[in-house]
Every structure is written in C-alpha cells, then in structure tokens.
Amino acid sequence: MEWHIIGIAASFLTTFGFVPQIIKMRRTKSAKDVSLATLLQFGAGAILWALYGVYLGDLIIITANIIASITIFAAIALCYHYNRKHGLSSR
Amino acid sequence: MEWHIIGIAASFLTTFGFVPQIIKMRRTKSAKDVSLATLLQFGAGAILWALYGVYLGDLIIITANIIASITIFAAIALCYHYNRKHGLSSR
C-alpha cells in the first residue's frame, strides 16, 4: 500500500513540475533564460510515458503523464509568447 | 517489443530533459527566469519515481530516474550559482 503513496507522490511532483515555472513566467512576464528545447523534450517525453503506462497497465503513470503534457504545453505557449514579444530566440 | 522502444524513447527524452536548460544556463551565464522550485520539484519527483520503479520491478523507470536526478541536481547547482552571482532570488 505504501508503494502506491510513493507512486502518487512521485506523479504529483513531476506532473505539476512546471507549475512553478509557469507562475514565474507569468509573474516576471519573461522567459529569456527558460529553455524551450527542455519544455519540448518533456512534452514529447510525457506523451511517450503515457503510452508506456498503457503497456504497463499502470493508471498512475498514464494519468500523471496526460496531465503533465497539458501543463507542459501551457509552459511552451507562455515561453514562446514572452520570447516572441521580446524578440528573443527560444532555444 | 516496440513497447520497449517507446519506454526507452520516453526515458531518454525525460532523463535528459534538463540538458538543454543546463546548456542554455552555461551559454548565457544566466538563470534569472529559471524556476528553482520547478527544478527542486523534479529532483524530488525523480527520486520517488526511481523508488516506484523498484516496486514495479521496471529497470527502465529505475535507470531513467536515477540518471535524471543527477542531471537535475546539476541544473539546480547551476541555477543557484548564477542567481547567487547576480544577487537574485531563485524562486
């Protein structure tokens, strides 16, 4: 049973991992130092992890990574928006 | 068999997810917009995912998350270093 608590805690931390980054970008209205490549890599990774969760039949992995990809795509949109606004490259 | 390829691709993308961020911080010598909270959350999350991988008996999840925590702690160190250098808070 306690293993499931570890899985749920792990999924909670990484699922909402980019939430502080989203809050920071919105607060400072800047994403100059944020790597868009990192966000894109995590976005693609989360989608593949969700698929791998289907193979494992593990609902925690599936749910965590579907929600994660939604927050990551929000972060990608914000990062792209602020860098475009400031005429910066997003690499 | 192809499921394992998806698992390996997923683990590769997220394991090395912060590598572009590390490269960007080193290149620009700045981490002003990078959320230290996001990095700490992923660091703690990766350690718990590795433990959950032990429970699942899944070597891909274990290995991916051990390597991920190493790269995340490198990113944390760099983020802290550049923000300290520039007298910034790291939230």
Side-chain angles (χ1 to χ4, degrees), chain A residues 28-81:
Chain A
T28 62
K29 303 204 184 309
S30 174
K32 184 175 66 69
D33 299 325
V34 179
S35 167
L36 188 66
T38 277
L39 294 173
L40 291 169
Q41 212 168 307
F42 271 102
I47 291 166
L48 294 186
W49 272 123
L51 288 173
Y52 192 60
V54 172
Y55 160 69
L56 294 175
D58 189 289
L59 203 63
I60 292 174
I61 295 177
I62 299 168
T63 315
N65 284 285
I66 288 174
I67 302 172
S69 35
I70 296 167
T71 70
I72 294 163
F73 285 111
I76 289 170
L78 273 179
C79 181
Y80 184 79
H81 170 72

